[in-house]
């Protein structure tokens, strides 16, 4: 097994708490292959069934949901170690609610749902991890709905900056996405995002230098 594939499996929550040797032994009992997708390729369109159990090895997958008017909202980005649509693998209605495309070249570790069922049936750790993954999805969706439906634009931008600072462990936030992509992820206009960032900077809450935003005063963002 290639090192990059093993790194992805170690990072995958499905194999949490397992050593590399244990992972290799378990994966050795199922049929798998690595799929390579080119940049800006369509992984799946909304409404297509979830046929595989895919884990991102390298690159990024962007998940977007479209409204009836055609406006798209970025729901999430999947990176190394992320499972693709785990809640739909065994669902009776397994049609994906989002369209998924590659952001740059992507490699995927792929097994079939029957192979995953075999792993779940034979290993208690994997079974527990899969249950936890599904539970965490419910928590994530609840939080996402709260942000999109109840937060003001100002609250959404403050949440983004504070959440990113926590993830990066620093008051200097390095944005991984463009302003437009960030606005799309919250379902707001780019102009609204820029206006709030400008207001934060004028109020002395942040300092902006391109894609690096330094948080100077957290309380000023939350007033």
């Amino acid at each position: 097994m290639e090192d990059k594939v093993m790194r992805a499996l170690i990072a995958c929550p499905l194999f949490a708490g397992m050593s590399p040797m244990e992972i290799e032994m378990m994966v050795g009992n199922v049929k798998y292959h690595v799929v390579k997708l080119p940049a800006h390729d369509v992984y799946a369109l909304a409404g297509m069934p979830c046929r595989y159990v895919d884990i991102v090895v390298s690159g990024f997958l962007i998940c977007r949901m479209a409204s009836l008017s055609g406006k798209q909202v970025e729901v999430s980005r999947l990176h190394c170690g992320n499972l693709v649509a785990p809640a739909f693998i065994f669902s009776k209605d397994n049609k994906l609610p989002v369209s998924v495309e590659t952001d740059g070249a992507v490699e995927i570790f792929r097994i079939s749902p029957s192979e995953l069922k075999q792993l779940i049936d034979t290993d208690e750790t994997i079974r527990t991890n899969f249950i936890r993954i599904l539970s965490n999805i419910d928590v994530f969706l609840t939080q996402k709905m709260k942000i999109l439906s109840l937060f003001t634009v100002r609250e959404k931008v403050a949440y983004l900056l504070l959440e990113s600072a926590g993830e990066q462990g620093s008051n200097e936030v390095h944005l991984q996405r463009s302003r437009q992509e960030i606005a799309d992820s919250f379902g707001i206009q780019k102009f609204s995002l820029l206006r709030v960032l400008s207001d934060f900077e004028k109020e002395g809450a942040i300092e902006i230098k391109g894609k690096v935003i330094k948080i100077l005063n957290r309380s000023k963002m939350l007033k």
Side-chain angles (χ1 to χ4, degrees):
M1 181 181 295
E2 292 185 64
D3 288 344
K4 61 182 176 181
V5 174
M6 177 54 71
R7 285 195 297 270
L9 298 184
I10 291 172
C12 181
L14 184 64
F15 300 102
M18 301 179 70
S19 68
M21 183 177 295
E22 289 173 323
I23 294 173
E24 188 152 17
M25 288 179 61
M26 291 305 302
V27 171
N29 293 324
V30 299
K31 296 178 182 177
Y32 71 88
H33 58 287
V34 176
V35 179
K36 297 184 178 181
L37 302 174
H40 309 299
D41 190 29
V42 176
Y43 168 88
L45 295 173
M48 291 178 61
C50 178
R51 295 192 177 96
Y52 309 106
V53 180
D54 286 342
I55 299 171
V56 179
V57 172
S58 63
F60 293 88
L61 290 175
I62 305 175
C63 307
R64 294 189 176 97
M65 186 173 290
S67 67
L68 293 176
S69 64
K71 181 180 179 181
Q72 291 192 333
V73 176
E74 184 178 309
V75 178
S76 63
R77 285 186 171 226
L78 306 178
H79 52 80
C80 178
N82 285 160
L83 269 165
V84 181
F88 291 86
I89 294 171
F90 298 117
S91 174
K92 183 177 180 180
D93 181 5
N94 67 343
K95 296 183 180 66
L96 296 174
V98 297
S99 292
V100 185
E101 64 182 54
T102 61
D103 183 15
V106 173
E107 288 185 88
I108 291 171
F109 173 91
R110 173 171 290 175
I111 63 176
S112 68
S114 61
E115 300 284 5
L116 175 59
K117 185 177 184 302
Q118 178 182 325
L119 292 177
I120 292 172
D121 288 344
T122 56
D123 191 274
E124 184 177 352
T125 299
I126 291 178
R127 181 164 58 251
T128 301
N129 286 341
F130 190 69
I131 293 171
R132 184 174 292 114
I133 289 169
L134 298 182
S135 299
N136 288 339
I137 289 172
D138 186 52
V139 173
F140 167 79
L141 292 177
T142 300
Q143 180 70 1
K144 192 76 173 180
M145 288 175 61
K146 178 181 177 182
I147 294 169
L148 292 177
S149 61
L150 299 179
F151 280 25
T152 65
V153 174
R154 185 182 176 96
E155 289 171 335
K156 289 177 180 178
V157 178
Y159 172 84
L160 165 72
L161 295 176
L162 296 175
E163 186 77 1
S164 298
E167 291 174 354
Q168 297 178 24
S170 171
N171 279 330
E172 280 197 354
V173 176
H174 294 257
L175 300 178
Q176 306 299 319
R177 296 173 288 173
S178 69
R179 268 47 168 187
Q180 185 63 63
E181 289 170 333
I182 292 171
D184 289 345
S185 71
F186 285 118
I188 61 178
Q189 296 294 321
K190 180 181 176 182
F191 171 79
S192 299
L193 170 65
L194 296 178
R195 185 188 65 217
V196 171
L197 289 174
S198 178
D199 289 344
F200 281 165
E201 190 166 40
K202 289 176 182 176
E203 294 165 11
I206 62 174
E207 180 181 87
I208 303 174
K209 292 182 179 179
K211 282 197 170 186
V212 179
I213 298 178
K214 185 175 183 179
I215 299 176
L216 303 176
N217 190 318
R218 293 170 178 251
S219 62
K220 288 183 177 181
M221 287 192 288
L222 301 174
K223 66 179 183 179

